[in-house]
């Protein structure tokens, strides 16, 4: 799952708790920075980039501790093969 970055949508922009976990494509050109939109179309500007690297975890694109906060739209896109 290279080319994917996990981002957290927080309850409050500064030091808030994780409200939703989204997947975002990396920026064009093979960088590791998140792109401007998540897989479900939300703006990533105010989101926090996770340390979790989907490429290192082929069985799960998001951290298991946030499984209950996964964005349904991103999950639908990430579940497509």
């Amino acid at each position: 799952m290279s080319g994917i970055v996990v981002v957290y949508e927080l309850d409050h922009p500064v030091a808030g708790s994780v409200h939703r976990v989204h997947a975002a494509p990396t920026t064009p050109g093979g960088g590791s920075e998140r792109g401007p939109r998540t897989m479900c179309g939300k703006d990533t500007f105010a989101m926090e980039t996770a340390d979790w690297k989907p490429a290192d975890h082929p069985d799960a694109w998001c951290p298991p501790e946030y499984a209950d906060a996964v964005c349904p739209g991103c999950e639908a896109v990430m579940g497509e093969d």
Side-chain angles (χ1 to χ4, degrees):
M1 286 190 212
S2 62
I4 299 295
V5 177
V6 175
V7 292
Y8 299 138
E9 180 181 350
L10 305 177
D11 286 330
H12 302 286
V14 179
S17 60
V18 174
H19 174 68
R20 281 276 182 250
V21 178
H22 296 273
T26 55
T27 55
S32 60
E33 296 295 316
R34 68 179 183 238
R37 299 254 175 227
T38 64
M39 295 297 200
C40 68
K42 287 194 170 216
D43 189 339
T44 63
F45 176 76
M47 294 186 187
E48 181 179 306
T49 302
D51 290 332
W52 181 269
K53 306 284 186 245
D56 296 340
H57 306 276
D59 295 334
W61 68 266
C62 74
E65 63 267 26
Y66 293 117
D68 61 338
V70 168
C71 167
C74 288
E75 177 66 16
V77 172
M78 294 302 293
E80 295 175 355
D81 288 331

